[in-house]
Amino acid sequence: MVAPEGAAVTLHRSRVQWPSREAVALIGIAVAVVAVMLAFLGADPAFGVTASNGPFTDESWDVMNARNFVLLGTWATDDWTLHLVNLPFSLSAAAVFSVFGVGIEQARLVSIAATGVTVAALGLGLRRWIGAGPAALAAVAYGGATLVLFYGRLAFLEPMVAMWLTLGALTVLGAQGDSSLRLGILAGVLLALGVGTKPSALAAVVGILAAVAIAGWRERPVRRWVAGAGLSVVVLGLAWAVLIWLPNRSAISDVLRIWASEPIIAPLGTVLHRIATYAASDGFVALSVPLLAAGAVGWGIAAARWRTLGPELRLLLTAACGWLVLGFGLLAVAPYRPNRYEVPLLPALAILVGIGARSASGVITRRAPGRAWVVGVALALVLVVPGMVSYASWMGRATYRLPAVQAQLAAEIPAGSVTQGDYAPAFAMRARAITIVSRPATHISPGDLYASRGVRWFVGHAQDAPVWAELHRAAWDARQQVLCSPWGSEPVCVWRLP
């Protein structure tokens, strides 16, 4: 269309909505946490942070199926089928491997990204409701926690579980609006992804939904949120049962044997002893004092000023409490509970910190005008400094053995070879070889693997030997040591067999 001659023509420029300074600052916290972790991407796990040997085995075990899919074209080559019960994590790891190649450094990108998203979600998700300062405090409380700095850069399931639970729980802030049902459905999908990443997350999910249902049962929008979330979790659970469990029942029975075999149901005396000793188990309290204390204080302040909280924050506070009660409740009665299991519960503590800070900020501002930011900065330092000091200590004496070992074995182990041993998935991760973790006692890849699977490489401690060694004594005695490397509590060696 041409405007008539002489007519005034007004051009309206579309305005780009740039993020506010507060939003940029909150995103900056997440970027800083990610940058700190990426700077030491290839560093080996520090020894002594946990009594579990998990940092030296479970990273490779968790990504073993994704690695198989990218290098070998099949998810499972034996009885190791964890991808069926940690599907979101395995799919993410496979996507990263497909783009960046296979290796321990690439595997860790999944957890680092999940940690960054969780920090950003806490900051940005809470900003509208509690203000930028308290939201930033919640973000740094999680991102600077000692356990998060340790496990958040390693290829474990827990950082991703924490991300899904955080994203799902934060949707409760909209549970009293017109979109409550849609947000509930979204929450259910996110929470179901957490359970799909690690089934034990179901305890925290039930805690969140039950707490919100109890707190908001009189309000129809809240009931719609709970119904939408619960329905999504059930539907996705049924979909998993039909599409994955039914066709793979035998493989999933293998998973049950892979997991820790100690039963949760035990005599009353045993359960009470577990509960009584939980606080001292695997250094959880010692490694989490700042966040535990700040979360408890935050909860106390928020509870005391309950009437000053808006209905949205009341629901979120209640959801965080349900998350913690059932989450910690499960761990308190569990026989095996390494400290990494607490990582998915730490965002709930960070939420309590943020809400408590918001509740206290008004009082501080009235009594000491202009000094609230000083208190906030001081509290942030109290929360972050212990974790950063530990992290600096770990990285200051870090070794980078695993990436080097993986590169060496990728060149030395011929494609199509078969390796065996608990550490084979870690050391031979980059080699185009089948890696087998054998646990004869629980019937995981048992038998004479030298004859039945053609194992010609073995990875283990110097005193380790496969169960078939006595059946092929001449071959075992003729093994050649390829390398030995310090790993965990003692060196791990690689042998080649004729």
Side-chain angles (χ1 to χ4, degrees), residues 165-176 179-180 182-188 190-191 225 229 316:
L165 293 179
T166 302
L167 293 173
L170 288 175
T171 66
V172 79
L173 290 167
Q176 293 177 316
S179 302
S180 61
R182 291 194 294 272
L183 285 174
I185 293 172
L186 174 61
L190 295 168
L191 296 175
W225 184 91
L316 182 61

Side-chain angles (χ1 to χ4, degrees), residues 10 90 98 100 102 104 156 160-161 225 236 238 251 260 286 302 309 386 397 411 433 453 464 497:
T10 303
S90 286
S98 297
F100 299 106
V102 174
I104 191 61
F156 283 102
M160 178 174 280
V161 175
W225 184 91
L236 290 177
L238 290 174
L309 300 178
R397 61 178 189 269
R453 298 298 305 272
D464 292 346
L497 287 89

Side-chain angles (χ1 to χ4, degrees), residues 61-66 68-69 74-92 157 192-200 236-259 444:
W61 291 351
D62 286 341
V63 301
M64 182 172 166
N65 297 112
N68 288 343
F69 180 74
T74 182
W75 288 99
T77 59
D78 52 11
D79 293 337
W80 202 266
T81 54
L82 291 181
H83 64 291
L84 298 173
V85 294
N86 66 20
L87 196 56
F89 180 87
S90 286
L91 290 174
S92 299
L157 305 175
L193 287 171
V195 177
T197 301
K198 189 168 186 180
S200 60
L236 290 177
L238 290 174
W240 176 85
V242 171
L243 299 176
I244 296 179
W245 177 72
L246 283 177
N248 300 282
R249 281 172 291 181
S250 176
I252 291 176
S253 68
D254 292 336
V255 172
L256 298 178
R257 293 195 297 272
I258 291 172
W259 286 341
I444 298 297

Side-chain angles (χ1 to χ4, degrees), residues 171-457:
T171 66
V172 79
L173 290 167
Q176 293 177 316
D178 296 335
S179 302
S180 61
L181 179 60
R182 291 194 294 272
L183 285 174
I185 293 172
L186 174 61
V189 171
L190 295 168
L191 296 175
L193 287 171
V195 177
T197 301
K198 189 168 186 180
S200 60
L202 182 61
V205 170
V206 172
I208 292 170
L209 297 183
V212 175
I214 293 171
W217 68 273
R218 292 182 178 179
E219 302 177 52
R220 184 179 180 186
V222 178
R223 294 199 301 270
R224 288 164 62 87
W225 184 91
V226 173
L231 183 62
S232 293
V233 171
V234 170
V235 168
L236 290 177
L238 290 174
W240 176 85
V242 171
L243 299 176
I244 296 179
W245 177 72
L246 283 177
N248 300 282
R249 281 172 291 181
S250 176
I252 291 176
S253 68
D254 292 336
V255 172
L256 298 178
R257 293 195 297 272
I258 291 172
W259 286 341
S261 58
E262 299 91 340
I264 291 179
I265 299 175
L268 180 60
T270 301
V271 173
L272 292 177
H273 180 265
R274 291 174 184 171
I275 295 172
T277 58
Y278 173 64
S281 64
D282 207 18
F284 168 58
V285 172
L287 292 170
S288 305
V289 168
L291 184 51
L292 285 171
V297 172
W299 175 83
I301 294 173
R305 297 180 59 80
W306 178 263
R307 294 184 179 180
T308 68
L309 300 178
E312 298 86 0
L313 288 182
R314 292 178 186 176
L315 280 181
L316 182 61
L317 180 66
T318 304
C321 290
W323 182 350
L324 290 170
V325 168
L326 284 197
F328 278 126
L330 174 62
L331 296 182
V333 299
Y336 179 66
R337 48 201 182 190
N339 54 33
R340 69 177 180 272
Y341 287 5
E342 276 93 5
V343 171
L345 307 179
L346 300 184
L349 288 171
I351 289 171
L352 297 184
V353 171
I355 297 177
R358 182 264 185 189
S359 299
S361 61
V363 176
I364 296 173
T365 301
R366 287 195 303 271
R367 294 185 178 181
R371 297 297 179 88
W373 68 272
V374 177
V375 176
V377 170
L379 182 53
L381 291 175
V382 169
L383 288 167
V384 171
V385 167
M388 291 304 298
V389 169
S390 295
Y391 190 77
S393 174
W394 298 329
M395 296 304 107
R397 61 178 189 269
T399 59
Y400 294 80
R401 296 188 182 101
L402 188 55
V405 168
Q406 289 182 350
Q408 179 180 343
L409 293 183
E412 293 201 25
I413 298 179
S417 299
V418 182
T419 67
Q420 181 187 343
D422 285 354
Y423 299 96
F427 276 33
M429 184 180 291
R430 292 179 55 187
R432 292 185 175 274
I434 293 173
T435 57
I436 299 176
V437 177
S438 177
R439 295 180 176 176
T442 53
H443 302 285
I444 298 297
S445 301
D448 182 0
L449 300 181
Y450 182 87
S452 64
R453 298 298 305 272
V455 169
R456 294 299 181 268
W457 296 78

Side-chain angles (χ1 to χ4, degrees), residues 22-34 119:
E22 293 177 350
V24 171
L26 292 169
I27 294 172
I29 295 172
V31 171
V33 172
V34 169
V119 174

